[in-house]
Amino acid sequence: MQEKIKQLLEEVNAFQVSIEDDLESFKRKFTNKKGEINQLFGEFKALPGDQKKLVGQTLNQLKTRATERLNEFQASLKAQSVSSDRPHDLTLPGDAHVQGARHPLTTVLNRIVSIFERLGFTVAEGPEIEDDWHNFSALNFPDNHPARDMQDTFFVQRNPDYLLRTHTSSVQVRVMEDSEPPIKVLSPGRVYRNEAISARAHCFFHQVEGLVIDKGISFADMKQTLQYFSSEIFGDQARIKLRPSYFPFTEISAEMDVYWGLETEDDYRITKGTGWVEIMGCGMVDPNVLRNCGIDPEVYSGYAFGMGVERIAQLLYRVPDLRLYSQNDIRFLKQFERIG
Ligand code: PHE
């Protein structure tokens, strides 16, 4: 009898069903009242008492296994019929896709670039990991200038000759080294500074810098270009103001403010009570920089400017905290759905 039980167990394990009829034959053969397992239970009763315990155990195992298999077969046939009962209905509307929004920094960056493109600027890009020459030395930073300090610059640990660029002026050096004037380029991109992250500062941000070099370029050309840019981005009424400043790579240097007004409390905070906000640095390219890049300052002159994209976006969209730009919070990003 043990032999018979073992054989049936093998058959139960090997049984396959693919249609309802198979399931019926499984039941008929094994699990129905008249099935083989029940018959064995009948024979079992007639066994002598000393064999009952052992045979009883294996017989019960067989019964349990057969019930398990039966359940499996029923479930798999049911799953099959669910999918075949509901053929694909091609006329049903598709699942809606969640529509993404362009990141506000991308939108603003694209706007800035397109304004300058209308003035004939082309875009130049360069590496984010720079060498000291392109980020500092060629730009007339003295060896002991504080901007080279560990405080501001992320240096590459294994070779501190390399660093994460602190501004995209490095790209302008590359352009001047590689091409002849006239030059009219824009260098947008990400830059890095070793700052503690807060609402007003971040360890990376985005810049757009511009460079124009030709014969007879003057400060007035720069002012005109920047006025045009400001009117395009902030509206026709935009007023600008150039304040004297200092950068190692420009002489003379200035910072440009736009008039923001003092209507709301926010305006007081943004403009520190002056009504004006600073949006960029600019100036006439220092003759030393031209010389460093192989351009004769006796023949050519030029101007450069650089602005932070986060700052412009903050003004346009009234973003109160710089960190929002890089947190990828969908509630923040969703607000720009219809702007980009
Ligand atoms: N490179 C400067 C900065 O990162 C900005 C600037 C560019 C200033 C060009 C003057 C001229 O702050």
Side-chain angles (χ1 to χ4, degrees):
M1 187 153 166
Q2 287 286 51
E3 262 317 293
K4 177 77 182 162
I5 296 174
K6 201 174 150 217
Q7 185 205 326
L8 282 184
L9 188 63
E10 274 165 21
E11 283 178 44
V12 164
N13 281 331
F15 204 93
Q16 298 289 345
V17 303
S18 51
I19 54 170
E20 201 73 29
D21 281 353
D22 298 337
L23 183 67
E24 289 310 313
S25 13
F26 183 81
K27 285 187 194 163
R28 230 176 297 124
K29 185 163 166 54
F30 300 106
T31 58
N32 277 358
K33 268 211 174 97
K34 290 186 182 159
E36 298 206 28
I37 296 176
N38 246 355
Q39 276 179 30
L40 283 176
F41 271 101
E43 294 169 27
F44 168 77
K45 283 185 191 138
L47 282 182
D50 58 340
Q51 287 184 27
K52 265 194 173 147
K53 189 167 177 232
L54 202 65
V55 177
Q57 261 178 14
T58 44
L59 192 53
N60 272 326
Q61 279 165 5
L62 171 65
K63 191 180 170 182
T64 313
R65 182 66 191 136
T67 318
E68 266 173 30
R69 292 288 280 163
L70 184 66
N71 291 338
E72 277 171 29
F73 296 149
Q74 278 168 336
S76 86
L77 286 175
K78 192 167 169 209
Q80 265 179 36
S81 78
V82 168
S83 53
S84 56
D85 277 358
R86 289 209 330 236
H88 296 297
D89 180 350
L90 299 181
T91 65
L92 285 175
D95 293 336
H97 283 283
V98 181
Q99 179 138 30
R102 221 182 267 294
H103 194 283
L105 290 181
T106 309
T107 303
V108 173
L109 189 99
N110 289 346
R111 270 185 70 189
I112 297 172
V113 169
S114 80
I115 293 169
F116 285 105
E117 276 176 344
R118 266 175 263 149
L119 293 175
F121 284 77
T122 54
V123 168
E125 287 182 334
E128 292 184 13
I129 300 174
E130 259 300 359
D131 51 39
D132 179 272
W133 169 256
H134 291 96
N135 197 81
F136 291 131
S137 297
L139 288 161
N140 204 33
F141 278 80
D143 275 346
N144 53 359
H145 194 278
R148 293 171 178 240
D149 199 306
M150 297 298 280
Q151 295 265 313
D152 293 309
T153 309
F154 288 115
F155 291 94
V156 172
Q157 230 168 31
R158 272 191 299 177
N159 183 354
D161 261 352
Y162 288 88
L163 45 91
L164 296 182
R165 67 182 180 195
T166 60
H167 50 187
T168 57
S169 305
S170 53
V171 181
Q172 306 182 343
V173 172
R174 290 178 178 276
V175 171
M176 285 189 279
E177 284 174 338
D178 294 348
S179 46
E180 298 288 318
I183 290 171
K184 207 168 185 183
V185 288
L186 215 53
S187 44
R190 185 176 277 197
V191 301
Y192 301 82
R193 294 192 193 169
N194 194 357
E195 306 246 12
I197 298 172
S198 73
R200 312 175 118 255
H202 210 295
C203 60
F204 65 79
F205 57 100
H206 299 78
Q207 280 191 328
V208 178
E209 297 211 357
L211 174 75
V212 175
I213 295 178
D214 203 349
K215 290 180 179 153
I217 297 288
S218 72
F219 195 81
D221 295 321
M222 180 183 85
K223 192 174 170 189
Q224 177 62 27
T225 302
L226 298 183
Q227 172 67 61
Y228 173 78
F229 164 73
S230 305
S231 311
E232 287 294 297
I233 197 118
F234 295 116
D236 282 344
Q237 76 301 333
R239 283 161 61 197
I240 64 168
K241 179 168 82 173
L242 290 166
R243 274 181 296 106
S245 185
Y246 170 79
F247 299 102
F249 36 89
T250 45
E251 179 64 34
I252 54 179
S253 307
E255 271 168 319
M256 189 182 95
D257 298 345
V258 286
Y259 188 68
W260 194 248
L262 276 177
E263 275 157 38
T264 66
E265 245 180 69
D266 246 12
D267 295 343
Y268 273 86
R269 189 176 50 80
I270 294 169
T271 69
K272 298 185 184 124
T274 64
W276 295 86
V277 272
E278 187 227 308
I279 62 161
M280 68 172 96
C282 55
M284 302 306 290
V285 181
D286 192 300
N288 285 338
V289 174
L290 295 177
R291 227 173 274 122
N292 286 341
C293 300
I295 294 173
D296 185 352
E298 301 298 328
V299 181
Y300 295 105
S301 59
Y303 63 83
F305 56 87
M307 68 191 102
V309 181
E310 278 80 350
R311 182 95 176 120
I312 310 277
Q314 175 189 33
L315 294 172
L316 292 176
Y317 304 139
R318 299 197 168 262
V319 178
D321 186 329
L322 268 181
R323 288 169 292 194
L324 287 164
Y325 292 121
S326 49
Q327 279 163 342
N328 272 343
D329 185 330
I330 202 83
R331 291 165 302 178
F332 170 71
L333 297 172
K334 241 181 141 32
Q335 300 175 70
F336 300 94
E337 249 168 16
R338 263 170 280 281
I339 294 177

